[in-house]
Amino acid sequence: MGRRPRRRVAVVGAGMTLFMRRALETGKELAYYAASQALESAGVRLRDVQAVVMATAPDAFDGVHMKGEWLLDGAGGVRRPYLRAYVGGGSGVFSIISGWSLVASGLCDLALVVAEEKMSSCQPHPQAAFLTIFDHILERPLGPNLLWIFALEQQRYMAAYGIRNEDIALVSVKNKRNALAHPCAQVAADLTVRDVLASEVVAWPVHRLMVSPVSDGAAAVVLAAEDLAPRLTDRPVWIQGVGWSLDTSYWGNRDLAYPRYVERAARMAYAMAGITEPRRQIHIAEPYDPFAYKELHHLEGLLLADRGKAPEDLAAGRFDRTGELPSCPSGGLMGVGNPIAAAGLMKVCELFWQLRQEAGARQVPGNPERGVAQAWGDLMQIGTVVVLGVR
């Protein structure tokens, strides 16, 4: 993957809806609202858009087969090149990678990327949509669900490095507090470690307040080619690097203590961005945090902390909004919410606003010039990474 893109691509607009437990709007309407905000932010009209990318997770959430096509009207994809990006929880960041490839290759100059999820339509609980993703012979007879296997992964992570559950709970405290400053947040709160550990155990060692919520919502960005972007805005945010990697679906064959697939995706994105020292050259991180431990796991996979040492960095304040490397200044999935595909693109929107100094009360101090967003999904097997910067 040593080849360079034909031309540079910038994010020139972004928008998102409220994230909420049960939206009255349809999925098409959520997609429309986010897309409309992004277009308005970029100062362009839908008729100017030459291609649309839609990210949305399992069809079972909405009970509509070929859900991408169903959402096309709301996302503005009618009668123009349109594609669906779908790699489970990694879909949101993979959607901007897909849009980037269309523009960087020269196929189009202006692309709209939309990510939507309406999980409340799935009854009695969206977890049911995941029961059929496991191997028919080796895994399904055990009756696993996603909460159980993530609990196994957290347990392995803690055992490998001697991490306490109190260390993990600090992620929930930080992110839910950060989300108090986010106008779209669903579950922002001012909590203590004691509050988190007093919440119900859903699958040991995972407590209820260590799990992101079921959410409805949408996010969108507008991408422009390098010769067009400066004509649309004097503050384009450039896509400096992209990377993605999938590991085997046989998750039981991997050491769950470390996400090597995230490291591979990060190294691909960093090489494209010219990053040789990520801890010094990246100023903001938005790692994927559907569970509290995943933020720490992913910060290590992104090479932003030593293996097993991210909890120590967190406790020392390094990942606070005012710290050396602000992590999830948005509030992350733990605080803003987790409409799966939209949550990943929400992280890209956050970097866009932070790098343009438009994040309001949650703006990180100083003049950050580069950030990384990452998402993860399927059977704990995919890493998707994008690096954004002002230059």
Side-chain angles (χ1 to χ4, degrees):
M1 299 296 291
R3 295 183 179 178
R4 308 291 296 181
R6 288 184 59 185
R7 56 182 180 172
R8 302 176 72 203
V9 180
V11 183
V12 295
M16 66 180 287
T17 69
L18 294 175
F19 284 6
M20 64 196 92
R21 175 63 183 88
R22 191 178 304 280
L24 297 179
E25 294 83 357
T26 66
K28 293 185 183 188
E29 289 170 327
L30 291 172
Y32 168 80
Y33 290 135
S36 298
Q37 287 181 38
L39 292 171
E40 182 178 355
S41 165
V44 298
R45 297 161 295 186
L46 181 58
R47 67 188 184 192
D48 301 321
V49 171
Q50 296 164 331
V52 174
V53 175
M54 162 58 74
T56 190
D59 291 354
F61 282 173
D62 292 81
V64 178
H65 185 50
M66 301 180 71
K67 183 180 167 188
E69 284 84 339
W70 182 68
L71 292 168
L72 171 145
D73 308 82
V78 176
R79 301 190 186 98
R80 50 174 54 88
Y82 176 86
L83 63 86
R84 177 182 181 182
Y86 177 34
V87 285
S91 299
V93 171
F94 194 63
S95 67
I96 191 172
I97 295 174
S98 302
W100 166 86
S101 68
L102 294 176
V103 180
S105 66
L107 282 175
C108 68
D109 294 325
L110 193 71
L112 174 63
V113 178
V114 185
E116 176 276 347
E117 213 69 74
K118 188 171 172 65
M119 300 172 70
S120 64
S121 303
C122 191
Q123 297 295 326
H125 192 281
Q127 277 293 333
F130 297 117
L131 295 180
T132 57
I133 66 175
F134 298 96
D135 183 272
H136 297 67
I137 296 173
L138 297 178
E139 295 170 341
R140 287 196 204 179
L142 300 173
N145 65 37
L146 290 185
L147 278 172
W148 294 359
I149 64 171
F150 296 146
L152 285 172
E153 187 174 64
Q154 178 176 330
Q155 183 67 47
R156 173 61 186 146
Y157 178 54
M158 293 169 63
Y161 301 114
I163 297 167
R164 304 172 306 161
N165 223 11
E166 291 86 340
D167 305 324
I168 304 288
L170 272 175
V171 173
S172 301
V173 173
K174 173 180 70 71
N175 288 2
K176 287 179 179 294
R177 186 173 296 157
N178 281 350
L180 289 169
H182 200 302
C184 298
Q186 178 184 347
V187 286
D190 192 3
L191 301 175
T192 65
V193 168
R194 177 175 293 186
D195 294 330
V196 176
L197 296 180
S199 63
E200 173 192 5
V201 175
V202 292
W204 179 259
V206 179
H207 290 253
R208 176 72 63 190
L209 290 175
M210 294 176 174
V211 184
S212 58
V214 172
S215 309
D216 294 347
V221 296
V222 178
L223 306 183
E226 62 180 342
D227 54 343
L228 175 60
R231 287 185 269 148
L232 296 175
T233 176
D234 58 358
R235 290 179 294 168
V237 174
W238 299 98
I239 299 176
Q240 296 181 342
V242 300
W244 68 101
S245 175
L246 277 87
D247 209 329
T248 171
S249 60
Y250 291 101
W251 55 275
N253 293 350
R254 295 196 296 272
D255 184 351
L256 303 180
Y258 183 73
R260 294 184 184 278
Y261 45 92
V262 173
E263 179 184 336
R264 284 192 286 270
R267 288 191 182 280
M268 176 180 169
Y270 295 165
M272 190 181 298
I275 294 173
T276 54
E277 299 178 70
R279 297 182 200 186
R280 186 178 64 83
Q281 295 170 295
I282 291 174
H283 310 128
I284 312 172
E286 277 285 344
Y288 205 59
D289 59 321
F291 292 79
Y293 79 97
K294 290 307 297 185
E295 176 171 346
L296 305 170
H297 211 225
H298 290 154
L299 284 166
E300 294 169 15
L302 289 166
L303 308 175
L304 298 174
D306 291 338
R307 294 188 191 188
K309 298 298 183 184
E312 292 181 20
D313 290 346
L314 172 67
R318 181 172 174 240
F319 301 132
D320 289 350
R321 185 181 283 147
T322 55
E324 175 190 335
L325 176 63
S327 178
C328 291
S330 65
L333 281 58
M334 295 297 303
V336 184
N338 186 17
I340 295 179
L345 198 57
M346 176 274 288
K347 289 180 169 290
V348 175
C349 292
E350 181 69 13
L351 291 185
F352 174 76
W353 290 317
Q354 289 283 354
L355 294 172
R356 285 166 51 116
Q357 300 282 328
E358 294 176 348
R362 61 185 191 286
Q363 180 67 50
V364 305
N367 295 298
E369 295 188 351
R370 178 182 276 150
V372 62
Q374 170 261 332
W376 155 90
D378 289 346
L379 273 171
M380 306 184 291
Q381 68 188 112
I382 182 166
T384 52
V385 176
V386 61
V387 176
L388 302 183
V390 298
R391 302 180 190 281

